[in-house]
Amino acid sequence: MTRGETPLAGPVQHRRHFLFVIPSEVEEPLAVTMADDRKTLEQRAQMTDIERLRHSAAHVLATAILKIWPEAQFAAGPPVENGFYYDLELDHRISPEDFEKIEAEMKKETKANHVFERVVLPRDEALSMAQRGVLGALGERPSPSKFKLDIIQNIPEGEEISLYRNGEFTDLCAGPHVMRTGNVGAFKLTHVASAYYKGDEKNPQLQRIYGTAFKNKTQLDEYFAMLEEAKKRDHRKLGKELELFTFDDDVGPGLPLWLPRGAAIIEELEKLAKETEFAAGYQRVRTTNLARESLYLKSGHLPYYKESMFPPMIVRKGEEFRTYFENWEKEQNRLHEDTASIFLPDIKDPEVRAKIGGMSTDEMNRWIEQRIAGMGQEAVNEFNRMAVDNFIPTLMMGQVAPVEDRYYLKAMNCPHHHKLFAALPRSYRDLPLRLAEYGTCHRYEQSGELFGLMRVRSLQMNDAHIYCTPEQFETEFNAVNEMYLKYFKLFGIEKYLMRFSTHDPAKLGQKFVDEPELWKQTEEMTRNVLKNSGINFVEVPNEAAFYGPKIDVQAWSAIGREFSIATNQVDFAQPRRFNLVYKDRDNTEKTPLCIHRAPLGTHERFIGFLIEHYAGNFPLWLAPEQVRILPIGDEAPLLDYARAIQNELRAHQVRAELDASSDHIKAKIANAEQMKVHTMLVLGNRDLEASAVSVRIHGKGNVGARPRAEVIADLLLSIKERKA
RNA sequence: GCCGAAGUAGCUCAGCUGGUAGAGCAGCUGAUUCGUAAUCAGCAGGUCACGGGUUCGAGUCCCGUCUUCGGCUCCA
């Protein structure tokens, strides 16, 4: 798989967070997916105006680069979400310092206002042009346009081949383009990155020059102003400024440490989830962070998911003894055969191993003597000679470190929860059984994938597994979706999308578990639930998990960053792997369905999302510091009054601080505003005399003085109701 | 993991082609007693990410490591 993404059921996903994952039996070949996904000419023609403009800007960029470096080899130059890029091969490493020079050439090209001319031509002619190096070039060149050549060779027979010209520049291109280069009104190169040709690391590595383009300068400026604004909301920046979390090299990459202010947000989310789930009939459970290898063998996560798990902890020195064992096994002599014939079956027999495991050294020696009693004297001598450094450690392997005894940090909670299901005899009366846990999971994300709080190696999910009968499924699934919607409403998440991934009946038994009826049934029910609930969703065929249909929940933060908050999945395979059963009405044992769900995803990602969503201006109930009391001056009676108010608030679990510094009131306010404290209570002698407090709300300013009791009551109500 | 860039005080950053490490904010101390976004002064704060190398001399040049950031098919 590319980029070491775990081979999961379903396609490789970039910057996606997997709630939990079960490997497919058959890894999906990537190449097939690519072939399937090739865009048709018709699809290509469907470009929006801005995409068309940006695609043309990519041609202008190529033109400019060729003016400076005529030998550059171009690959693909599409429009992308916020601009365009062009991939090229060039010995000179283009750096941002080159941008000015390139942009100047681009400017010349747009000033010249060349027409974009489309030419349709036969395949052999296109091939010949590529051979002569004229595609993606300003004219004939000594070496062929190799990427263009490759692209032409991959164009299906019968599909029209076209090229576009602007001035001296000719490029293989399906189009479409704007009329003239002058239509590319305003542009700017933004960054340079690297990319493999066709995204395959076996292919040459190319330089990717990114830029953006707009109709005019005003729109371009607006775009960059928006980017500036977005930067201010970046959760990494705000996380530091607001003292929410930190990373430390000694702790390790991707392992966030939550400062008190950040932990306060976590506490609130936990409280929210616990209340909501309790009301919805969930039960809390707690499971360990570690488990034996055998658990993950049973769940099927090993070896498929191994790459994404931290390497195992091996109890005692199993590896070392195994090496002895391997060396010993390699010995090709009579001794080997004799001893092997006696001891190999012993070593491989778990019962014998367990027996040896309980022996003291003396007992073991006696046992060995008994086992070799039938051998000739010569063999016994030889055996004794090598027993000390070879054979006994080999046996001890069975005693101290069997191969199975490895422990892994858990990467998902489901196997543990399945064990809890299995811990008690279950009847249909126990279902649905909803087990919830804020469990800490560890995943070995690739170093290049780590990204602030969005992609970490230590994470806590607001996880739960619902075990139910097929009859209960629809109600349960609907309830889960209701919960999602409730949360969206609470957090004011307006832009979201649920991607409903279904199976392809043609791939049953390969990509998808061979349960045609269950697939049909659960997909139908899921579809109904989605339709009836008015949820914004799209159906994505052929992208289901191996074991059942799933829903990915995507949301967009205020700065347009996409978040895959959670996946919500149906699973009818894992309960079977774990032999989970309940006794049904008819006294037969049946396997439950399992729904995996985590509406808030992980603390880490969700808080990252919230930081950007609120730009750090959290609503009162979530604010790390809900109230700060700011006395005007530091006279004793005033400070006593301030402390009394703080104590009263704290008694009601309100996160209230007191600024008793010698700063002037203006400075105290500035400090509190900077830390985005939600409510500031300004106290002067006027307030003291009137038993009042002056309320100032972050972002709103002074809202006036009111009686102390009234203000406190309002604060408590607002927190209790989680008002926006 | 791969490619590229970056790492200087708690934070934000300056430090030119190698020549004794700097500012603002935060911190500490003192003064200031101020009614809604920054009162004044003084002090302290650094193994220039880490480890090697070149050099009379390295924050600066070279190599390696770590971390962070931007990317790694939204596809002629």
Side-chain angles (χ1 to χ4, degrees):
Chain A
M1 298 301 265
T2 52
R3 304 197 299 278
E5 189 68 80
T6 323
L8 314 168
V12 176
Q13 295 186 57
H14 183 55
R15 295 252 150 142
R16 286 284 159 74
H17 171 68
F18 289 94
L19 177 57
F20 75 99
V21 172
I22 309 295
S24 63
E25 315 268 87
V26 186
E27 189 177 321
E28 188 190 5
L30 209 62
V32 174
T33 326
M34 284 166 57
D36 287 350
D37 290 352
R38 190 173 192 281
K39 272 191 188 168
T40 63
L41 283 180
E42 220 167 83
Q43 285 170 322
R44 281 168 205 277
Q46 290 169 354
M47 266 193 206
T48 63
D49 289 352
I50 191 73
E51 283 171 338
R52 187 186 288 246
L53 182 146
R54 285 168 176 169
H55 181 45
S56 300
H59 279 229
V60 173
L61 168 66
T63 312
I65 287 174
L66 286 162
K67 291 263 164 83
I68 306 168
W69 300 281
E71 71 278 19
Q73 289 285 350
F74 287 87
V80 291
E81 196 175 329
N82 290 311
F84 62 89
Y85 66 78
Y86 217 130
D87 283 345
L88 64 130
E89 189 179 71
L90 182 64
D91 284 340
H92 171 79
R93 287 234 156 263
I94 294 177
S95 75
E97 284 95 76
D98 296 316
F99 285 178
E100 215 172 302
K101 196 162 57 173
I102 299 169
E103 282 167 353
E105 286 297 336
M106 289 174 73
K107 196 88 204 161
K108 283 187 203 164
E109 181 60 22
T110 55
K111 273 252 163 74
N113 207 13
H114 289 124
V115 173
F116 277 103
E117 182 193 356
R118 179 187 165 92
V119 182
V120 176
L121 73 172
R123 172 178 296 258
D124 53 350
E125 207 172 303
L127 285 170
S128 142
M129 287 180 80
Q131 287 291 359
R132 285 181 284 130
V134 287
L135 293 182
L138 301 176
E140 292 212 8
R141 300 188 297 183
S143 42
S145 305
K146 56 179 177 177
F147 302 115
K148 301 294 175 183
L149 197 58
D150 181 67
I151 290 163
I152 296 170
Q153 279 158 355
N154 283 307
I155 295 176
E157 289 291 341
E159 197 175 291
E160 187 178 85
I161 297 178
S162 62
L163 43 92
Y164 273 83
R165 288 208 174 92
N166 55 289
E168 297 166 60
F169 180 65
T170 306
D171 201 358
L172 175 73
C173 181
H177 280 281
V178 292
M179 296 296 290
R180 293 174 160 274
T181 56
N183 294 61
V184 183
F187 54 83
K188 192 164 171 53
L189 300 182
T190 51
H191 53 282
V192 55
S194 79
Y196 296 105
Y197 179 55
K198 289 182 175 172
D200 189 335
E201 57 190 296
K202 288 189 278 296
N203 288 337
Q205 193 147 35
L206 307 174
Q207 302 189 56
R208 174 169 294 180
I209 316 295
Y210 278 93
T212 191
F214 289 90
K215 260 201 294 223
N216 54 51
K217 182 97 175 19
T218 315
Q219 288 181 6
L220 184 76
D221 290 345
E222 273 170 15
Y223 172 72
F224 280 99
M226 192 204 78
L227 280 188
E228 280 306 307
E229 201 50 42
K231 251 190 216 167
K232 287 184 202 155
R233 284 184 177 231
D234 192 304
H235 76 278
R236 293 165 297 185
K237 184 175 152 70
L238 283 171
K240 197 180 271 178
E241 285 171 3
L242 302 182
E243 298 172 8
L244 301 180
F245 57 88
T246 186
F247 289 91
D248 185 283
D249 279 6
D250 284 328
V251 176
L255 303 174
L257 303 180
W258 292 93
L259 289 155
R261 288 170 170 275
I265 303 175
I266 293 183
E267 297 278 335
E268 288 297 340
L269 290 182
E270 280 199 13
K271 222 191 287 173
L272 170 70
K274 285 178 183 175
E275 284 173 18
T276 311
E277 285 161 8
F278 184 83
Y282 288 65
Q283 293 169 290
R284 294 241 133 224
V285 294
R286 285 175 175 263
T287 62
T288 55
N289 293 333
L290 277 176
R292 257 195 174 135
E293 185 170 66
S294 53
L295 182 69
Y296 302 112
L297 287 170
K298 189 161 284 176
S299 71
H301 288 102
L302 286 174
Y304 300 101
Y305 196 74
K306 207 171 186 174
E307 290 291 298
S308 290
M309 292 174 76
F310 274 89
M313 280 161 261
I314 299 163
V315 180
R316 301 185 220 178
K317 296 162 78 178
E319 295 291 354
E320 200 177 309
F321 290 125
R322 197 146 50 95
T323 311
Y324 275 119
F325 176 62
E326 280 161 8
N327 289 341
W328 176 64
E329 215 173 16
K330 278 182 206 144
E331 296 262 344
Q332 294 297 315
N333 53 33
R334 184 174 55 84
L335 175 72
H336 168 86
E337 283 172 24
D338 285 351
T339 51
S341 66
I342 297 169
F343 288 106
L344 263 181
D346 288 340
I347 289 165
K348 289 186 174 159
D349 181 349
E351 268 187 49
V352 178
R353 278 228 304 260
K355 190 173 140 198
I356 301 168
M359 289 179 179
S360 68
T361 313
D362 283 346
E363 284 171 330
M364 191 185 288
N365 282 335
R366 277 200 294 280
W367 179 80
I368 290 171
E369 270 171 31
Q370 279 173 19
R371 299 295 283 139
I372 63 174
M375 291 165 63
Q377 188 55 44
E378 202 190 339
V380 172
N381 290 344
E382 273 192 60
F383 171 77
N384 284 338
R385 199 155 37 79
M386 64 178 288
V388 175
D389 59 357
N390 266 337
F391 191 65
I392 289 172
T394 303
L395 278 176
M396 285 180 71
M397 189 182 73
Q399 179 189 2
V400 299
V403 184
E404 297 90 341
D405 212 9
R406 298 157 179 240
Y407 287 79
Y408 288 85
L409 281 169
K410 75 174 166 190
M412 62 294 295
N413 298 307
C414 36
H416 284 80
H417 288 184
H418 297 333
K419 287 296 186 185
L420 286 177
F421 183 97
L424 298 173
R426 303 292 181 181
S427 123
Y428 71 96
R429 294 172 192 276
D430 298 324
L431 304 185
L433 183 73
R434 310 179 189 91
L435 302 180
E437 177 176 22
Y438 251 124
T440 303
C441 297
H442 290 85
R443 297 178 179 185
Y444 193 78
E445 303 288 356
Q446 282 197 73
S447 57
E449 295 284 354
L450 298 176
F451 175 71
L453 286 180
M454 301 304 165
R455 195 96 176 190
V456 291
R457 286 179 174 166
S458 166
L459 45 105
Q460 262 189 295
M461 285 185 280
N462 93 310
D463 208 359
H465 296 93
I466 301 170
Y467 302 89
C468 63
T469 68
E471 294 73 37
Q472 291 165 334
F473 173 79
E474 195 161 342
T475 311
E476 287 303 309
F477 204 77
N478 191 45
V480 168
N481 280 311
E482 292 289 323
M483 200 179 282
Y484 276 88
L485 290 178
K486 194 176 160 189
Y487 286 143
F488 289 165
K489 196 173 167 204
L490 174 63
F491 293 106
I493 297 170
E494 280 160 15
K495 197 174 172 194
Y496 72 90
L497 178 66
M498 291 203 183
R499 290 164 56 92
F500 171 37
S501 301
T502 55
H503 81 301
D504 177 355
K507 292 184 183 170
L508 281 173
Q510 303 154 35
K511 189 177 165 182
F512 304 112
V513 64
D514 196 8
E515 294 280 0
E517 275 314 303
L518 276 172
W519 277 107
K520 255 172 70 182
Q521 201 181 345
T522 52
E523 282 180 4
E524 189 56 33
M525 289 189 289
T526 308
R527 197 177 290 113
N528 283 340
V529 168
L530 287 169
K531 274 185 185 160
N532 295 337
S533 59
I535 280 174
N536 180 26
F537 80 101
V538 289
E539 192 163 327
V540 193
N542 197 27
E543 282 201 12
F546 174 62
Y547 46 80
K550 65 171 182 177
I551 290 175
D552 292 311
V553 184
Q554 286 171 264
W556 283 263
S557 77
I559 64 173
R561 180 129 60 210
E562 184 216 308
F563 290 75
S564 285
I565 289 183
T567 64
N568 180 16
Q569 319 197 355
V570 188
D571 183 350
F572 35 78
Q574 245 196 109
R576 193 158 300 161
R577 290 189 82 118
F578 277 84
N579 288 324
L580 303 185
V581 289
Y582 63 94
K583 193 66 80 69
D584 206 353
R585 274 184 183 73
D586 59 6
N587 202 28
T588 61
E589 289 192 331
K590 288 182 181 156
T591 306
L593 286 178
C594 177
I595 301 170
H596 308 245
R597 44 110 279 170
L600 300 177
T602 70
H603 283 148
E604 288 73 15
R605 182 169 293 188
F606 198 74
I607 291 176
F609 170 82
L610 289 180
I611 293 169
E612 298 189 0
H613 182 67
Y614 290 121
N617 304 313
F618 293 100
L620 182 63
W621 70 277
L622 264 182
E625 188 176 341
Q626 294 170 310
V627 176
R628 189 180 293 185
I629 299 160
L630 311 175
I632 303 170
D634 57 2
E635 287 158 2
L638 199 55
L639 281 188
D640 287 346
Y641 183 53
R643 282 199 192 97
I645 293 174
Q646 183 189 24
N647 289 339
E648 187 180 347
L649 287 168
R650 283 190 167 172
H652 289 98
Q653 311 299 308
V654 179
R655 293 181 290 275
E657 298 296 328
L658 168 64
D659 184 348
S661 72
S662 62
D663 283 336
H664 285 198
I665 189 63
K666 286 192 178 206
K668 287 184 183 178
I669 288 168
N671 289 336
E673 290 282 357
Q674 222 158 50
M675 290 307 279
K676 300 179 185 288
V677 174
H678 186 281
T679 298
M680 289 150 275
L681 301 180
V682 179
L683 306 181
N685 285 322
R686 279 208 308 262
D687 303 294
L688 175 58
E689 282 157 20
S691 266
V693 293
S694 296
V695 181
R696 183 186 168 98
I697 308 290
H698 172 63
K700 284 189 189 148
N702 188 359
V703 296
R706 287 165 57 212
R708 161 187 171 173
E710 195 182 306
V711 169
I712 290 179
D714 278 2
L715 283 169
L716 295 181
L717 187 69
S718 175
I719 290 169
K720 190 175 169 223
E721 293 184 350
R722 298 193 171 99
K723 285 189 185 153

